[in-house]
mmCIF file of all heavy atoms in Angstrom:
data_model
loop_
_atom_site.group_PDB
_atom_site.id
_atom_site.type_symbol
_atom_site.label_atom_id
_atom_site.label_comp_id
_atom_site.label_asym_id
_atom_site.label_seq_id
_atom_site.Cartn_x
_atom_site.Cartn_y
_atom_site.Cartn_z
ATOM 1 N N ASN Q 43 -164.169 49.330 -69.111
ATOM 2 C CA ASN Q 43 -162.898 48.994 -69.380
ATOM 3 C C ASN Q 43 -162.020 49.749 -68.466
ATOM 4 O O ASN Q 43 -162.175 50.997 -68.145
ATOM 5 C CB ASN Q 43 -162.524 49.352 -70.815
ATOM 6 C CG ASN Q 43 -163.123 48.380 -71.839
ATOM 7 O OD1 ASN Q 43 -163.432 47.237 -71.484
ATOM 8 N ND2 ASN Q 43 -163.300 48.867 -73.038
ATOM 9 N N GLY Q 44 -161.066 49.074 -67.814
ATOM 10 C CA GLY Q 44 -160.122 49.750 -66.822
ATOM 11 C C GLY Q 44 -160.733 49.829 -65.377
ATOM 12 O O GLY Q 44 -160.010 50.287 -64.637
ATOM 13 N N ALA Q 45 -161.958 49.171 -65.212
ATOM 14 C CA ALA Q 45 -162.562 49.152 -63.848
ATOM 15 C C ALA Q 45 -161.651 48.228 -62.900
ATOM 16 O O ALA Q 45 -161.844 48.380 -61.695
ATOM 17 C CB ALA Q 45 -163.966 48.649 -63.849
ATOM 18 N N GLY Q 46 -160.993 47.363 -63.405
ATOM 19 C CA GLY Q 46 -160.140 46.403 -62.519
ATOM 20 C C GLY Q 46 -160.665 45.035 -62.471
ATOM 21 O O GLY Q 46 -159.973 44.140 -61.907
ATOM 22 N N LYS Q 47 -161.729 44.673 -63.215
ATOM 23 C CA LYS Q 47 -162.336 43.367 -62.979
ATOM 24 C C LYS Q 47 -161.333 42.293 -63.490
ATOM 25 O O LYS Q 47 -161.072 41.220 -62.917
ATOM 26 C CB LYS Q 47 -163.755 43.358 -63.593
ATOM 27 C CG LYS Q 47 -163.791 43.634 -65.037
ATOM 28 C CD LYS Q 47 -165.203 43.826 -65.515
ATOM 29 C CE LYS Q 47 -165.289 44.025 -67.095
ATOM 30 N NZ LYS Q 47 -164.544 45.358 -67.431
ATOM 31 N N SER Q 48 -160.862 42.472 -64.750
ATOM 32 C CA SER Q 48 -159.933 41.531 -65.342
ATOM 33 C C SER Q 48 -158.634 41.399 -64.594
ATOM 34 O O SER Q 48 -158.087 40.272 -64.382
ATOM 35 C CB SER Q 48 -159.678 41.908 -66.893
ATOM 36 O OG SER Q 48 -160.902 41.757 -67.605
ATOM 37 N N THR Q 49 -158.072 42.492 -64.173
ATOM 38 C CA THR Q 49 -156.877 42.462 -63.285
ATOM 39 C C THR Q 49 -156.982 41.686 -62.031
ATOM 40 O O THR Q 49 -156.175 40.912 -61.520
ATOM 41 C CB THR Q 49 -156.504 43.930 -63.014
ATOM 42 O OG1 THR Q 49 -156.182 44.587 -64.145
ATOM 43 C CG2 THR Q 49 -155.150 43.882 -62.197
ATOM 44 N N LEU Q 50 -158.178 41.980 -61.507
ATOM 45 C CA LEU Q 50 -158.564 41.216 -60.078
ATOM 46 C C LEU Q 50 -158.448 39.698 -60.383
ATOM 47 O O LEU Q 50 -157.860 38.889 -59.650
ATOM 48 C CB LEU Q 50 -159.866 41.702 -59.628
ATOM 49 C CG LEU Q 50 -160.407 40.871 -58.355
ATOM 50 C CD1 LEU Q 50 -159.524 41.132 -57.135
ATOM 51 C CD2 LEU Q 50 -161.762 41.218 -58.065
ATOM 52 N N ILE Q 51 -159.287 39.314 -61.443
ATOM 53 C CA ILE Q 51 -159.389 37.830 -61.722
ATOM 54 C C ILE Q 51 -158.119 37.218 -62.121
ATOM 55 O O ILE Q 51 -157.744 36.041 -61.962
ATOM 56 C CB ILE Q 51 -160.501 37.602 -62.734
ATOM 57 C CG1 ILE Q 51 -161.861 37.821 -62.024
ATOM 58 C CG2 ILE Q 51 -160.444 36.213 -63.329
ATOM 59 C CD1 ILE Q 51 -162.080 37.069 -60.842
ATOM 60 N N LYS Q 52 -157.245 38.020 -62.820
ATOM 61 C CA LYS Q 52 -155.843 37.508 -63.190
ATOM 62 C C LYS Q 52 -155.009 37.259 -62.078
ATOM 63 O O LYS Q 52 -154.028 36.408 -62.146
ATOM 64 C CB LYS Q 52 -155.127 38.471 -64.157
ATOM 65 C CG LYS Q 52 -155.792 38.371 -65.664
ATOM 66 C CD LYS Q 52 -155.213 39.307 -66.606
ATOM 67 C CE LYS Q 52 -155.767 39.269 -67.962
ATOM 68 N NZ LYS Q 52 -155.213 40.230 -68.927
ATOM 69 N N CYS Q 53 -155.324 37.875 -60.866
ATOM 70 C CA CYS Q 53 -154.531 37.448 -59.640
ATOM 71 C C CYS Q 53 -154.981 36.035 -59.149
ATOM 72 O O CYS Q 53 -154.121 35.301 -58.678
ATOM 73 C CB CYS Q 53 -154.799 38.485 -58.590
ATOM 74 S SG CYS Q 53 -154.191 40.165 -58.822
ATOM 75 N N LEU Q 54 -156.239 35.686 -59.481
ATOM 76 C CA LEU Q 54 -156.676 34.272 -59.152
ATOM 77 C C LEU Q 54 -156.112 33.381 -60.149
ATOM 78 O O LEU Q 54 -155.841 32.254 -59.787
ATOM 79 C CB LEU Q 54 -158.124 34.395 -59.132
ATOM 80 C CG LEU Q 54 -158.854 33.054 -58.761
ATOM 81 C CD1 LEU Q 54 -158.510 32.553 -57.334
ATOM 82 C CD2 LEU Q 54 -160.455 33.162 -58.958
ATOM 83 N N SER Q 55 -156.067 33.687 -61.361
ATOM 84 C CA SER Q 55 -155.656 32.784 -62.347
ATOM 85 C C SER Q 55 -154.140 32.623 -62.486
ATOM 86 O O SER Q 55 -153.566 31.734 -63.096
ATOM 87 C CB SER Q 55 -156.119 33.169 -63.760
ATOM 88 O OG SER Q 55 -155.340 34.376 -64.210
ATOM 89 N N GLY Q 56 -153.395 33.514 -61.681
ATOM 90 C CA GLY Q 56 -151.949 33.404 -61.697
ATOM 91 C C GLY Q 56 -151.206 34.203 -62.694
ATOM 92 O O GLY Q 56 -150.041 34.097 -62.791
ATOM 93 N N ALA Q 57 -152.060 34.917 -63.540
ATOM 94 C CA ALA Q 57 -151.454 35.771 -64.656
ATOM 95 C C ALA Q 57 -150.694 36.957 -63.973
ATOM 96 O O ALA Q 57 -149.661 37.439 -64.615
ATOM 97 C CB ALA Q 57 -152.457 36.153 -65.614
ATOM 98 N N TYR Q 58 -151.272 37.441 -62.934
ATOM 99 C CA TYR Q 58 -150.580 38.507 -62.175
ATOM 100 C C TYR Q 58 -150.408 38.175 -60.729
ATOM 101 O O TYR Q 58 -151.165 37.345 -60.232
ATOM 102 C CB TYR Q 58 -151.511 39.872 -62.131
ATOM 103 C CG TYR Q 58 -151.742 40.509 -63.513
ATOM 104 C CD1 TYR Q 58 -152.834 41.214 -63.744
ATOM 105 C CD2 TYR Q 58 -150.805 40.448 -64.511
ATOM 106 C CE1 TYR Q 58 -153.025 41.862 -64.925
ATOM 107 C CE2 TYR Q 58 -150.942 41.046 -65.799
ATOM 108 C CZ TYR Q 58 -152.179 41.839 -65.884
ATOM 109 O OH TYR Q 58 -152.371 42.442 -67.129
#
Side-chain angles (χ1 to χ4, degrees):
N43 288 333
K47 56 189 186 299
S48 293
T49 302
L50 173 68
I51 288 302
K52 283 179 178 177
C53 293
L54 180 65
S55 72
Y58 292 155

